[in-house]
Amino acid sequence: MPAAPLLRTILLISLLALTGAAYAQAPVAGTIQDAAGRGLPFATVVLLHLPDSVAVASQTTSEQGTYSFASVAASRYCLKGLALGYVTGRLALVVGSPPVPVPALRLAASVTTLKEVVVEGRPPVLEQHADRTVVNMDRLNTAGDNALEALRKVPGITLDKDEHLQYRGSGSVLVLIDGKQNYLTGEALSQYLRSLPAAQLGQVELLPNPPASLDAAGTAGVINIRLKRSRLPGLTGTLIGTAAKTRYQRTSTSANLAYNVGRVRSFGRASLGYYDTFNQLTIQRLIRDTTFTQQNYWHPRDFDLGYAAGADVTLSKRQTLGGQVRGSYGTSATQVSSESVAATANGRSTGSLAMRNPRTGTERDLALNLNYRLALDTLGRELTADADLVQTANVGHQDFLPLNSPPVGAEGALVGQQRSQTGSAVTIRALKADYVHPLPGHWRAEAGVKASSVSTESRIAFEKLRSSPAEWQFDSTRSNTFHYDERIAAGFFTVSTNLKKLELKAGLRGEHTHSVGESPTTGQRVERDYFQLFPTLFASYQLTALDQLSFSAGRRISRPTYSSLNPFINYTDAYTAMQGNPYLAPSLARSFGLNYLHAGFQVLNVSYLLETNMVSGVVYQNDQTKVTTTRPMNLDQVLTITLTSGGHTDLTKWWGMDNQVGATYGEVQTLVAGQPVQLRLVGVTASSSHTFLLPRHYQLQVGGEYYGPSVNGLYALRSSGTFNLGLRKQLWQERATLSLKLSDLFYTSGWFSSLHYQNINTDWVNRYDSRRLAISFTYKLAGGKTRSTHVGGSADEESRAGH
């Protein structure tokens, strides 16, 4: 990759200018309200020091419009409240000992037209808070991207060789969308994110050690994706259309609307997309004295429809009832071709096998949520409850059509013409209730319970074509059915307080799991019953008005996805297969994080993640048939240590820069077929994004990412990177935006890896349509947007229902 040295040079030069803006905390708490006295969720609260007006703290309000800062030096301050569609409010206050109670800050609705609205300043790409990192997606160059492609640009998030999400080097991550899971993992989650336009993403929150109030699932932590949702009165929204050209083409259109009137706040989202893409995989395997070179080419044509709608009704001053429905429907028709060439050690070809494996599939899911909130008093006592029902289903058909006879001694797993039919269905039910209770002396307690049930059914039917007479014959050796049922009961308790400059929060969550997986076809039955405790601890200390040190720790679990427990064998070609493992055990992890901020700049973030029984794909090779089969297995121990530093810099009024640099140490120690396997690597990552504000409402974006060598399960990854260019033009008094983007200019993105253990000697090169030219048009039906998040009760279960 000749462009890699140039890309590394550009990134390292850019990273020399790292600085940041301030995010501190103070012993100040209050509420941002609208003119009617209702809390404004996700408004921006800024604490300005007087008389120099230096911003020493900033955060967004909760769903109830509340905010709370930790201790800061006694002084005079100006509290500023900002929400798009409302007039900016200010409140003078003096912080001393004891602190003065802060009255509610009410913001009047703006009556000016869109062209008269002036937004003061731009948020940085990264907002570093004590317990999480918030990424403002509007600041990234994502024109024409879908959500999966946009998440690839978020620090700490990567994609594996199958384009599945990973966080902190692990695929075991709990993904929330608007605080709720969409009950998908693996390819199903990736497909859903591909159908979601990046322009609908508001913020992405990264929580390496989430509080005990969230499910303990996800050993690497939680990714919470906040979609944009307007809370302005009347009808507001955004319409988006995109088109992109690579080797093929893709188009999508979406609408994100909200209608708020009186006591009812409602929203609706819909997206429709057609994606004509490709994925090219080259595998080179050394089997004894024979080299196998496999070329696999996927050309999928996908049609995806996604929709969501919901409403919150204020029943009274203290009661709110809400409901949401979300679903998707997708079809796929994929042309798959493969060619496997066998050669001797001196390069002489001994034969080849070419195949066509066309496949079709349909996926659908539907999720319903009902939620209720009751404020028991004005002191902060609150009760919330959620009920969730989720159903997903998919069916698929695949043909295996060999075009010639295989090499002698390398017949593979598929001889002759064959076909398969697959299907699966998942039903998830969940109930949860949480209670918040203020305690004397600035203490706060939370407690909650949850119960969930999961039922899955999967089937696969293989047939092979007989030559005489010519008819399809059922293959009982490859056909199977699988049932899986799971029940989880959980409870948690947390306590938190602010002690001058010190903020503390501790929690304990307990989860009891009972599961049964069985295959009537094979007679396999696996039953598990276990109880685990998951403590969490968070502490933040305000060293000075600009310096903050925070620490977090926790213990988490990752239960196997429902599809990974399924013992079915699925074939990519005659020499490559994937098989589930019903004997997988849950993974457990200990996680620690240390974060030091100075004036909003992340001076140093240290992340420690130790996973035991981590589930990862392990490749097994049959030297006689030349078939490699990937099975999910429990790796004994996986250690990931990451150091990162970065922040935002405004070099001038027209040039802003966001940079991030990091180093990661990865170590894997496990047994494969009774033999020890060890893997250790140290890698460097870097990203740099530059935004130039040009005359006549133009905006130029230049940026790139570099990913050094790293460990992913038993795979040793080689370096990769991207370099992107973008141009944005605001039209019609900023009602519309036209964006042009060139992604991966040097075509250096992809999955480049190797496997070397026991009899496995394999190199992978996986490329996709990352280099493309995209154009995007966005039109606002009304003024700006704010964000809304509701956390439902089926987070863990939804994240594991992959297909």
Side-chain angles (χ1 to χ4, degrees):
M1 294 181 295
L6 173 61
L7 182 59
R8 287 196 295 265
T9 302
I10 294 174
L11 292 172
L12 292 175
I13 292 175
S14 300
L15 291 170
L16 294 177
L18 291 172
T19 61
Y23 286 97
Q25 295 183 342
V28 175
T31 306
I32 304 296
Q33 300 176 347
D34 61 14
R38 294 174 297 194
L40 283 176
F42 308 109
T44 300
V45 186
V46 182
L47 194 63
L48 303 173
H49 183 268
L50 296 179
D52 52 13
S53 296
V54 173
V56 297
S58 175
Q59 65 176 236
T60 55
T61 59
S62 67
E63 287 188 348
Q64 292 74 45
T66 61
Y67 62 88
S68 178
F69 296 103
S71 296
V72 72
S75 185
R76 292 189 301 118
Y77 296 92
C78 173
L79 185 76
K80 180 191 272 188
L82 306 95
L84 290 177
Y86 293 86
V87 177
T88 299
R90 294 173 175 83
L91 183 68
L93 59 104
V94 177
V95 175
S97 181
V100 178
V102 181
L105 179 58
R106 294 192 174 186
L107 307 184
S110 174
V111 296
T112 56
T113 62
L114 178 66
K115 64 182 181 181
E116 295 170 336
V117 174
V118 178
V119 180
E120 299 180 9
R122 295 171 295 140
V125 171
L126 298 179
E127 296 182 18
Q128 299 292 345
H129 297 277
D131 63 338
R132 68 193 64 193
T133 299
V134 179
V135 182
N136 293 296
M137 300 302 293
D138 280 341
R139 291 298 311 277
L140 297 180
N141 187 4
T142 61
D145 287 351
N146 58 47
L148 184 66
E149 294 161 343
L151 288 173
R152 189 196 298 265
K153 300 178 175 65
V154 174
I157 296 180
T158 58
L159 302 182
D160 66 12
K161 63 181 178 60
D162 299 313
E163 295 194 288
H164 300 161
L165 279 180
Q166 294 194 320
Y167 175 48
R168 302 172 71 194
S170 172
S172 175
V173 55
L174 185 62
V175 180
L176 308 177
I177 299 178
D178 278 346
K180 293 179 57 61
Q181 299 284 329
N182 57 359
Y183 293 81
L184 304 172
T185 58
E187 181 57 30
L189 176 60
S190 297
Q191 190 66 25
Y192 172 79
L193 293 173
R194 289 190 192 101
S195 69
L196 191 65
Q200 289 192 8
L201 273 58
Q203 291 183 330
V204 174
E205 293 183 336
L206 306 175
L207 294 87
N209 290 300
S213 55
L214 294 178
D215 288 342
T219 51
V222 170
I223 300 174
N224 183 28
I225 303 171
R226 288 184 179 175
L227 301 180
K228 296 174 181 176
R229 176 177 170 185
S230 173
R231 305 191 77 90
L232 299 177
L235 178 64
T236 58
T238 306
L239 304 178
I240 305 167
T242 64
K245 176 63 178 177
T246 59
R247 185 175 301 178
Y248 307 105
Q249 60 278 329
R250 60 171 71 181
T251 59
S252 66
T253 182
S254 66
N256 187 3
L257 305 176
Y259 183 68
N260 303 319
V261 57
R263 296 186 174 186
V264 180
R265 294 178 175 177
S266 59
F267 74 93
R269 291 190 293 265
S271 61
L272 187 66
Y274 171 75
Y275 307 93
D276 192 352
T277 62
F278 76 90
N279 190 310
Q280 186 169 340
L281 171 64
T282 301
I283 305 176
Q284 190 170 69
R285 296 188 289 141
L286 179 62
I287 304 178
R288 295 181 178 175
D289 57 351
T290 302
T291 299
F292 265 79
T293 302
Q294 298 174 235
Q295 296 279 352
N296 295 71
Y297 188 81
W298 290 268
H299 181 194
R301 294 181 175 93
D302 297 335
F303 170 83
D304 296 301
L305 170 66
Y307 59 89
D312 296 323
V313 180
T314 303
L315 303 177
S316 66
K317 189 175 181 180
R318 296 185 180 180
Q319 297 184 81
T320 302
L321 181 67
Q324 296 184 18
V325 58
R326 173 191 50 77
S328 66
Y329 174 81
T331 63
S332 177
T334 305
Q335 295 297 322
V336 183
S337 61
S338 65
E339 183 179 18
S340 301
V341 179
T344 61
N346 59 12
R348 183 177 61 85
S349 175
T350 60
S352 65
L353 174 62
M355 296 188 70
R356 289 193 303 110
N357 306 344
R359 63 181 68 173
T360 59
T362 301
E363 297 183 359
R364 58 170 57 89
D365 72 273
L366 177 67
L368 304 175
N369 169 263
L370 186 66
N371 56 84
Y372 174 75
R373 171 182 170 267
L374 172 63
L376 299 173
D377 55 29
T378 60
L379 301 177
R381 290 198 304 141
E382 181 178 283
L383 178 67
T384 58
D386 280 88
D388 290 274
L389 172 65
V390 179
Q391 293 180 322
T392 70
N394 73 84
V395 294
H397 175 88
Q398 184 172 8
D399 291 308
F400 302 92
L401 310 174
L403 303 181
N404 63 298
S405 299
V408 177
E411 287 74 16
L414 301 172
V415 179
Q417 186 172 337
Q418 305 191 31
R419 66 186 183 185
S420 66
Q421 297 277 355
T422 60
S424 68
V426 180
T427 300
I428 302 172
R429 299 175 177 87
L431 292 171
K432 79 166 189 175
D434 295 345
Y435 173 68
V436 178
H437 189 91
L439 300 173
H442 304 290
W443 288 83
R444 171 188 170 100
E446 299 178 57
V449 294
K450 176 186 172 182
S452 65
S453 66
V454 179
S455 178
T456 75
E457 292 192 12
S458 304
R459 65 185 185 280
I460 185 170
F462 256 92
E463 294 179 309
K464 54 186 176 182
L465 185 63
R466 295 180 55 181
S467 57
S468 179
E471 63 180 6
W472 289 101
Q473 182 180 21
F474 181 73
D475 187 351
S476 60
T477 63
R478 291 194 173 102
S479 302
N480 201 352
T481 58
F482 181 69
H483 306 289
Y484 180 79
D485 293 292
E486 180 183 86
R487 304 289 185 271
I488 300 178
F492 79 91
F493 178 79
T494 66
V495 61
S496 59
T497 186
N498 289 332
L499 302 172
K500 294 184 179 180
K501 295 184 178 183
L502 180 64
E503 179 183 352
L504 294 172
K505 185 172 185 177
L508 182 64
R509 185 179 186 91
E511 295 186 353
H512 175 265
T513 304
H514 179 80
S515 64
V516 177
E518 59 181 337
S519 173
T521 309
T522 64
Q524 290 176 302
R525 176 184 170 89
V526 180
E527 184 172 358
R528 295 188 182 276
D529 191 278
Y530 55 90
F531 175 79
Q532 293 283 346
L533 291 174
F534 305 99
T536 58
L537 175 64
F538 166 76
S540 177
Y541 186 74
Q542 202 69 44
L543 301 170
T544 69
L546 299 179
D547 295 275
Q548 177 187 350
L549 184 66
S550 60
F551 171 82
S552 62
R555 184 174 186 262
R556 299 185 63 78
I557 190 173
S558 178
R559 300 174 182 87
T561 62
Y562 311 129
S563 60
S564 67
L565 294 167
N566 190 331
F568 297 175
I569 300 178
N570 290 289
Y571 294 93
T572 301
D573 55 45
Y575 301 105
T576 310
M578 293 175 290
Q579 183 181 21
N581 181 2
Y583 300 100
L584 288 173
S587 307
L588 293 171
R590 288 175 289 169
S591 176
F592 304 92
L594 183 66
N595 193 33
Y596 173 54
L597 301 178
H598 174 73
F601 173 69
Q602 187 184 65
V603 178
L604 180 63
N605 178 276
V606 181
S607 170
Y608 174 94
L609 178 63
L610 179 62
E611 298 177 84
T612 58
N613 283 335
M614 174 185 172
V615 177
S616 181
V618 176
V619 175
Y620 296 87
Q621 180 173 281
N622 187 316
D623 290 351
Q624 280 69 46
T625 64
K626 318 303 182 187
V627 176
T628 61
T629 303
T630 301
R631 297 188 185 95
M633 302 295 290
N634 289 114
L635 304 184
D636 294 341
Q637 182 173 290
V638 179
L639 173 64
T640 305
I641 301 176
T642 304
L643 284 75
T644 57
S645 179
H648 174 78
T649 303
D650 283 319
L651 298 178
T652 68
K653 291 183 178 180
W654 50 269
W655 183 2
M657 189 167 61
D658 292 273
N659 301 296
Q660 194 87 2
V661 64
T664 300
Y665 171 76
E667 177 182 295
V668 178
Q669 298 186 38
T670 190
L671 294 177
V672 177
Q675 299 297 317
V677 176
Q678 292 186 348
L679 186 62
R680 296 183 178 90
L681 271 178
V682 177
V684 176
T685 61
S687 65
S688 183
S689 176
H690 302 253
T691 302
F692 303 91
L693 302 180
L694 305 179
R696 303 181 66 85
H697 300 285
Y698 280 96
Q699 185 181 104
L700 176 66
Q701 293 178 308
V702 181
E705 301 90 30
Y706 169 77
Y707 307 98
S710 62
V711 172
N712 187 277
L714 297 180
Y715 290 87
L717 304 187
R718 299 188 291 274
S719 61
S720 64
T722 62
F723 184 78
N724 310 310
L725 296 173
L727 184 65
R728 181 181 299 177
K729 165 68 173 177
Q730 292 182 327
L731 306 169
W732 308 332
Q733 291 80 41
E734 302 183 8
R735 282 187 180 273
T737 302
L738 183 65
S739 301
L740 188 68
K741 178 186 175 184
L742 179 59
S743 303
D744 196 12
L745 179 63
F746 302 114
Y747 201 40
T748 52
S749 181
W751 174 277
F752 314 107
S753 65
S754 60
L755 283 169
H756 298 290
Y757 58 88
Q758 296 176 4
N759 66 333
I760 304 296
N761 290 282
T762 303
D763 287 314
W764 292 62
V765 175
N766 195 2
R767 292 186 178 276
Y768 53 96
D769 58 345
S770 58
R771 181 164 56 186
R772 61 181 175 271
L773 180 65
I775 186 170
S776 175
F777 180 77
T778 302
Y779 181 76
K780 298 178 182 178
L781 296 180
K785 304 172 288 293
T786 60
R787 294 168 292 276
S788 175
T789 300
H790 175 75
V791 179
S794 48
D796 175 27
E797 297 77 16
E798 188 171 358
S799 71
R800 297 163 57 213
H803 306 310

